[in-house]
């Protein structure tokens, strides 16, 4: 990890989703109490069992939040990118220890970190911020609940297809009747960890969908021909 020095930090913070259009005095407080850090691929932000004493905001790059199953398999809970925040879920559930770990997925990933106590105080003083945090944490919890239901009731192929459809709905851009997700950097291994399937199954399903002309993908993007047909 390296500290990043940049005079435009407040501009970065104002453009994070969670702080967008917040009052200037609050943003000045955030700038004063945050520190920008640079990480490279593979570095860990925190480990399972660490103290929940910091919250993080992603300026650039990607972070995966994961834990391990009883048999040692990595289960990716979510992948976060520019504009998103993480590490503050304990502010809602009262936990003092991390129940997962956060790892960097890209070189030159830039984060802002803020002491959790300072962020909690900020939430107590600003109802709009508290509502945004509650909405984000609630949304992620609902996604995890849906994934758990899928693990119990749906087969591997269905889980992979539903993950792709969700990816298109959340990250995709409409291009006529098609939907494209640009900067698609997930490996087959990432998708397998997100869907609790094997890498071989992911490869088989993706190739089958491409052969049926339902999707097209390369190293930079994934194109969905028709989301209704995919579903």
């Amino acid at each position: 990890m390296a500290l990043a020095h940049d005079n435009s930090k407040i501009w970065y913070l104002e453009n994070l989703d969670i702080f967008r259009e917040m009052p200037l005095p609050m943003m000045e407080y955030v700038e004063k109490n945050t520190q920008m850090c640079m990480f490279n691929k593979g570095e860990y932000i925190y480990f399972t069992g660490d103290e929940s004493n910091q919250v993080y905001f992603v300026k650039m790059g990607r972070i995966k939040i994961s834990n391990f199953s009883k048999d040692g398999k990595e289960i990716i809970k979510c992948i976060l990118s520019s504009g998103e925040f993480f590490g503050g879920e304990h502010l809602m559930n009262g936990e003092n220890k991390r129940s997962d770990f956060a790892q960097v997925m890209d070189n030159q990933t830039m984060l802002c970190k803020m002491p959790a106590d300072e962020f909690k105080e900020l939430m107590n003083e600003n109802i709009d911020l508290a509502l945004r945090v509650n909405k984000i944490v609630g949304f992620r919890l609902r996604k995890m609940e849906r994934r758990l239901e899928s693990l119990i009731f749906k087969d591997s192929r269905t889980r992979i297809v539903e993950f792709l459809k969700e990816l298109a709905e959340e990250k995709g851009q409409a291009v006529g009747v098609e939907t494209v997700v640009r900067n698609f950097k997930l490996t087959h291994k990432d998708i397998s960890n997100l869907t609790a399937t094997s890498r071989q199954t992911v490869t088989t399903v993706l190739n089958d969908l491409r052969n049926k002309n339902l999707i097209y993908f390369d190293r930079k993007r994934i194109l969905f021909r028709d989301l209704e047909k995919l579903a």
Side-chain angles (χ1 to χ4, degrees), residues 108-119:
Q108 295 186 322
T109 289
M110 184 178 290
L111 305 178
C112 272
K113 66 177 183 177
M114 183 177 191
D117 290 343
E118 299 287 349
F119 189 64

Side-chain angles (χ1 to χ4, degrees), residues 181-186 216-222:
V181 176
R182 306 185 192 279
N183 297 316
F184 181 69
K185 299 180 181 179
L186 293 179
Y216 170 81
F217 57 90
D218 54 32
R219 294 183 178 180
K220 295 183 178 180
R221 62 172 182 157
I222 179 167

Side-chain angles (χ1 to χ4, degrees), residues 11-21 57-59 82-84 112 132:
W11 181 86
Y12 285 163
L13 292 166
E14 287 174 336
N15 282 275
L16 294 171
D17 294 347
I18 198 169
F19 292 130
R20 201 176 301 276
E21 298 180 358
F57 314 100
V58 185
K59 168 55 188 170
S82 177
E84 299 186 280
C112 272
R132 289 185 187 187

Side-chain angles (χ1 to χ4, degrees), residues 74-89:
E74 181 185 6
I75 304 296
I76 299 178
K77 298 171 71 174
C78 61
I79 292 177
L80 306 174
S81 56
S82 177
E84 299 186 280
F85 100 105
F86 66 98
E89 294 79 3

